[in-house]
Amino acid sequence: MWKTITYEVQGRSHKTKDIPCQDKTYSNYENNVHVIALADGAGSAKFSHYGAEIAVKTISNFLNNNFDNLIRNNDALKVKIELINTLNKKLKEKAQELSCELKSLASTLLVTAIKEDHFIIIHLGDGTIGVIKNNKLMVVSTPANGEYINSTIFTTTKNSFKYIKLFKGKTKDISGFILMSDGTANSFYSNKKKELSNATKKIINWSVLLPKNNMKQLIEETFNNLIINNTYDDCSVAIITNEKHKSNIYNTFQIHEKKEFYDIKTKDPKIYLKKIKANENLLKELYKKQINILELAKKFHIKKRYLKKKLNKFSNLGLIKKENKKYKLQIQIK
């Protein structure tokens, strides 16, 4: 039901200086708990790429094993202290291994964990967390600044537990969450308006609809060709979406959104409206019953080769699924 996608890419500045990507992402599923995590290593910390990796894996594993207890525990301060103590133990072990100071492993931390109908969100430092609920895009947590301009709070900051933002809630009507580092937020989040862009909603919605591998490829292309050109910083994103919202999301698409989703190039309204209608008529036929390609070709008077190409496209968009040589619709179109 829940699907996760994560991606990080080295920024232009770090690529030029041959510095490792300091953004790290992670996702896992264990004990019926889905977790996505993202950490942005401090640019001033020599080994922050190690610290960021330890942060995302340690806290993810901690949530996998302690989710129920954390949901029941209403003492937020105690939970935050336990989280930081668990993480600091691993960071201190790494600092000893590298013979470095703890602050050399500094990073931010953004996490979302889901089990059944409950979620937990953890946010320390900058970066942004968003959610789509009832088809409305909202900011869950905004970037936190440190003592000085352009500074933030890190996992190694003294008494960092005091700065952790902790959220708990129900997943009802939520179609997806998104975590982004400050490098990515440069393209998707307005500090002035405290709002996420419409492009953010598109990414989450398409993540619900598209098969995981196809969406991962689209995100990689978008980040490598567009997002990293808007900043010198490393960029990363982590997304978790609920596939049960597929039909609802598709049916809320406006005409221009359907045109983009189907990748219809023409600007002529008569032509693209006709193409959208033809696509939906074909999909509605699949809703009535599972049907093979020969039966579809006869009914719609379409050549088998052309129809096969169209059905492959629908499959790549996550709209249909092939089972035993027959095609089954994955959404209900109004």
Side-chain angles (χ1 to χ4, degrees), residues 7-9 23 38 40 108 110 123 125-130 137 139 141-145 152 178-200 203 223 226-238:
Y7 187 64
E8 70 260 5
V9 61
D23 280 17
L38 181 154
D40 180 358
T108 63
L110 299 83
H123 189 186
D126 57 23
T128 307
I129 301 177
L137 176 65
V139 176
S141 187
T142 57
N145 296 320
T152 189
I178 186 168
L179 319 177
M180 59 182 77
S181 64
D182 62 337
T184 301
N186 282 336
S187 297
F188 295 107
Y189 176 73
S190 168
N191 256 314
K192 185 177 181 180
K193 296 181 179 179
K194 306 297 181 188
E195 291 178 353
L196 287 162
S197 68
N198 288 331
T200 312
I203 286 177
F223 271 66
L226 297 173
I227 306 304
I228 60 171
N229 293 323
N230 294 330
T231 179
Y232 286 97
D233 202 358
D234 297 333
C235 297
S236 57
V237 66

Side-chain angles (χ1 to χ4, degrees), residues 217-228:
Q217 182 181 348
L218 182 61
I219 285 177
E220 287 180 10
E221 291 172 357
T222 302
F223 271 66
N224 292 338
N225 297 327
L226 297 173
I227 306 304
I228 60 171

Side-chain angles (χ1 to χ4, degrees), residues 299-314:
K299 184 171 182 66
F300 287 91
H301 307 289
I302 303 174
K303 289 183 179 180
K304 183 180 174 182
R305 184 173 62 179
Y306 175 75
L307 180 59
K308 189 174 182 180
K309 185 177 179 181
K310 184 177 281 288
L311 291 173
N312 283 337
K313 183 176 182 178
F314 288 165

